[in-house]
Amino acid sequence: MKRALGLALAAAALAASASAGGLWDALFDGDSDGSSGGFSAAVAALTGEAASVKPVRKADDRYWVTVRIDGKSARTRAASLGLSIESVEGSLVGGVADLSTLKRLKDAGIEVQSRRALSGFRPEDFPPADGIYHNYGEIVSELQSISSAGSGFVSAFSIGTSVQGRAIPGLRLGYPSRDGRAKPAAAFLGAHHAREHLSTEVPLLLARWIAEHAREARVKRLLETRDIYILPVINPDGVEYDIATGNYRWQRKNLKDNGDGSVGVDLNRNYDFRFGGEGASDYPGSDTYHGPSAFSEPETRAVRSFVEALPNLKLMVSYHTFSELVMYPWGGADEPISDGRALAAFKAMAERAAQWTGYRAMQSSELYVATGDTCDWAWAAKGIFCLTFELTPKSQGQGGFYPGSGAVGPTVQKNIEPALYLIDLADDPYRAANATAMAAPKEAGI
Ligand code: 0X9
Ligand code: ZN
């Protein structure tokens, strides 16, 4: 957590996402500039959906406790009394107990050293060394601050709510269209996978960069002729869970209770194209569990509603980490997409983006075949040119999902030019196959 304002807004946003409605509406007033009428209506509908979300859990009387217990049989006894043991460091045992368990422990002569109410637990933050990354509250606060700074051409909204009731926030950047007609649009999505925090930073800081450079000719033109949508965190519950203890938990999925003791659906297997096929798991406990049915998850349904409200959305990027790749459909099959002209455009735009970033362009399935991903659905169902970026680093040895604070600046920086290029292409993505489609970065003064 970086600043007091962040704290206040984070608290407001989190409270709003649990109670849904009032505070969120106060923070995010939706379609403030009134352009793109269709989307405006969709936002209202989505806000209505959010308003019906129930509080996630009833009053919580559980505590995080530390107790002194020596030996395995004593720990087993404490567990039998109801203590859920989560950590053992010598004789100091940490775990979760509700009030009646606390009483049983006391009656059995087990002394509680410290306790902290879970109901009062605010999500903890990133480890201090990674404080540059935005937690959920800070994402919301950053979006709000970009929106206030760019009044007249930026507005914040929510596309729906997560399993635990957090709003899935978004930002639209673009001046109202001159002729009243909807402009071509491009969208940038982050954090389908919780532990891929850099995939939030890139679209979020791209939004800030665009707002701060709005007066420059090239950016101004894009804002006048395109609508740019930023959805930096599709899986907010997973992201908060990943950082909740101060130590990363390697969380990938959302926080759906699968009803068999396991938690989580892989949101990038839950879309409706070749759903449940190769590269997606039928086992709920698996990290690549596809869920009970396509769009079973509120997070993927929110993306679907968002996309369906925007017939002019022609281009999409789904950011992930890591491996340094730019990938195009199909991911769920080895064969190439059947439309040769579209394939040429896909290849050209991926290769162009790869040149700027130093990443490698390839068909998604070349990495591995995996069904039900975002871009396969976007292309198959909606004809949206959708790329999956696997951001920095290249390997686990370079930090894997947790490459540290030093990765943020350079990764954001090198991904700005590809994003601007793709935004420009939104009017006619087939143009990508034409080599002169866009000025090189140096010519563009970046
Ligand atoms: O497996 C995924 O969902 C993505 N990789 S990640 O390491 N970020 O989890 C890759 C998705 C690309 N699509 C396919 N290969 N289908
Ligand atoms: Zn991923």
Side-chain angles (χ1 to χ4, degrees), residues 192-194 196 199 252 266 268 319-322 368 388 390 401:
H192 272 82
H193 290 146
E196 300 171 11
S199 76
R252 172 179 170 98
D266 184 347
N268 211 33
Y319 291 110
H320 287 253
T321 76
F322 58 93
Y368 43 76
T388 302
E390 295 281 3
F401 297 115

Coordinates of all heavy atoms in Angstrom, one line a residue, residues 192-194 196 199 252 266 268 319-322 368 388 390 401, ligand 2:
H192 N -6.2 -12.6 -16.0 CA -7.1 -13.7 -15.9 C -6.5 -14.7 -14.9 O -7.2 -15.4 -14.2 CB -7.1 -14.4 -17.3 CG -8.2 -13.9 -18.2 ND1 -8.0 -12.8 -19.0 CD2 -9.4 -14.4 -18.5 CE1 -9.1 -12.6 -19.7 NE2 -10.0 -13.6 -19.4
H193 N -5.2 -14.7 -14.8 CA -4.4 -15.6 -13.9 C -3.9 -14.7 -12.8 O -3.1 -13.8 -13.0 CB -3.3 -16.4 -14.6 CG -3.9 -17.4 -15.6 ND1 -3.3 -17.7 -16.8 CD2 -5.0 -18.2 -15.5 CE1 -4.0 -18.7 -17.4 NE2 -5.0 -18.9 -16.6
A194 N -4.2 -15.1 -11.6 CA -3.9 -14.2 -10.4 C -2.5 -13.9 -10.2 O -2.1 -12.8 -10.0 CB -4.5 -14.9 -9.1
E196 N -0.1 -13.6 -12.1 CA 0.6 -13.0 -13.2 C 0.4 -11.4 -13.1 O -0.1 -10.8 -13.9 CB 0.1 -13.5 -14.5 CG 0.3 -15.0 -14.6 CD -0.3 -15.7 -15.8 OE1 -0.8 -15.1 -16.7 OE2 -0.4 -17.0 -15.8
S199 N 0.8 -8.7 -15.7 CA -0.2 -8.6 -16.7 C -1.3 -7.6 -16.3 O -2.1 -7.2 -17.1 CB -0.9 -9.9 -17.0 OG -1.8 -10.3 -16.0
R252 N -3.5 -19.2 -9.3 CA -3.8 -19.0 -10.8 C -5.3 -18.8 -11.0 O -5.7 -17.9 -11.8 CB -3.3 -20.3 -11.5 CG -3.7 -20.3 -13.0 CD -3.2 -21.6 -13.6 NE -3.7 -21.9 -15.0 CZ -3.0 -21.6 -16.1 NH1 -1.9 -21.0 -16.0 NH2 -3.5 -21.9 -17.3
D266 N -10.0 -22.3 -13.8 CA -9.0 -21.6 -14.6 C -9.8 -20.7 -15.6 O -10.5 -21.3 -16.5 CB -8.1 -22.6 -15.4 CG -7.0 -21.9 -16.2 OD1 -7.1 -20.6 -16.4 OD2 -6.1 -22.6 -16.7
N268 N -9.0 -19.0 -18.0 CA -8.5 -19.0 -19.4 C -8.7 -20.4 -20.0 O -8.1 -20.8 -21.0 CB -7.0 -18.6 -19.5 CG -6.7 -18.0 -20.8 OD1 -7.6 -17.3 -21.4 ND2 -5.5 -18.2 -21.4
Y319 N -3.3 -10.1 -21.7 CA -2.0 -10.2 -21.2 C -1.8 -11.3 -20.1 O -2.7 -11.5 -19.3 CB -1.6 -8.8 -20.5 CG -1.4 -7.7 -21.4 CD1 -2.3 -6.6 -21.4 CD2 -0.3 -7.6 -22.3 CE1 -2.1 -5.5 -22.3 CE2 -0.1 -6.5 -23.2 CZ -1.0 -5.5 -23.1 OH -0.9 -4.4 -24.0
H320 N -0.8 -12.0 -20.3 CA -0.4 -13.0 -19.3 C 1.1 -12.9 -19.0 O 1.8 -12.1 -19.6 CB -0.7 -14.4 -19.9 CG -2.1 -14.8 -19.9 ND1 -2.7 -15.7 -19.1 CD2 -3.1 -14.3 -20.7 CE1 -4.0 -15.8 -19.4 NE2 -4.3 -15.0 -20.4
T321 N 1.6 -13.7 -18.1 CA 3.0 -13.9 -17.9 C 3.3 -15.4 -17.8 O 2.4 -16.1 -17.4 CB 3.6 -13.2 -16.7 OG1 3.3 -13.9 -15.6 CG2 3.1 -11.7 -16.6
F322 N 4.4 -15.9 -18.0 CA 5.6 -15.3 -18.6 C 6.1 -16.1 -19.7 O 5.6 -17.2 -19.9 CB 6.6 -15.1 -17.5 CG 7.1 -16.5 -16.8 CD1 8.2 -17.2 -17.3 CD2 6.3 -17.0 -15.8 CE1 8.5 -18.4 -16.8 CE2 6.7 -18.3 -15.2 CZ 7.8 -18.9 -15.7
Y368 N 1.4 -24.9 -26.3 CA 0.7 -26.2 -26.0 C -0.7 -26.0 -26.4 O -1.2 -24.8 -26.4 CB 0.8 -26.6 -24.5 CG 0.6 -25.5 -23.5 CD1 -0.6 -25.0 -23.3 CD2 1.7 -24.9 -22.9 CE1 -0.8 -23.9 -22.3 CE2 1.6 -23.9 -22.0 CZ 0.3 -23.4 -21.7 OH 0.1 -22.4 -20.8
T388 N -2.7 -13.1 -27.4 CA -2.2 -13.4 -26.1 C -0.8 -13.0 -25.9 O 0.1 -13.5 -26.7 CB -2.4 -14.9 -25.7 OG1 -3.8 -15.3 -25.9 CG2 -2.0 -15.2 -24.3
E390 N 2.5 -13.1 -23.6 CA 3.1 -13.7 -22.4 C 4.3 -12.7 -22.2 O 5.3 -12.7 -22.9 CB 3.7 -15.1 -22.6 CG 2.6 -16.1 -22.9 CD 1.9 -16.6 -21.6 OE1 2.2 -16.1 -20.5 OE2 1.0 -17.5 -21.8
F401 N 6.8 -15.9 -12.4 CA 5.6 -15.1 -12.1 C 6.0 -13.9 -11.3 O 5.2 -12.9 -11.2 CB 4.5 -15.9 -11.5 CG 4.0 -17.0 -12.3 CD1 4.2 -18.3 -11.9 CD2 3.4 -16.8 -13.5 CE1 3.7 -19.4 -12.7 CE2 2.9 -17.8 -14.3 CZ 3.1 -19.1 -13.9
Ligands
ZN2 ZN -1.7 -16.8 -17.7

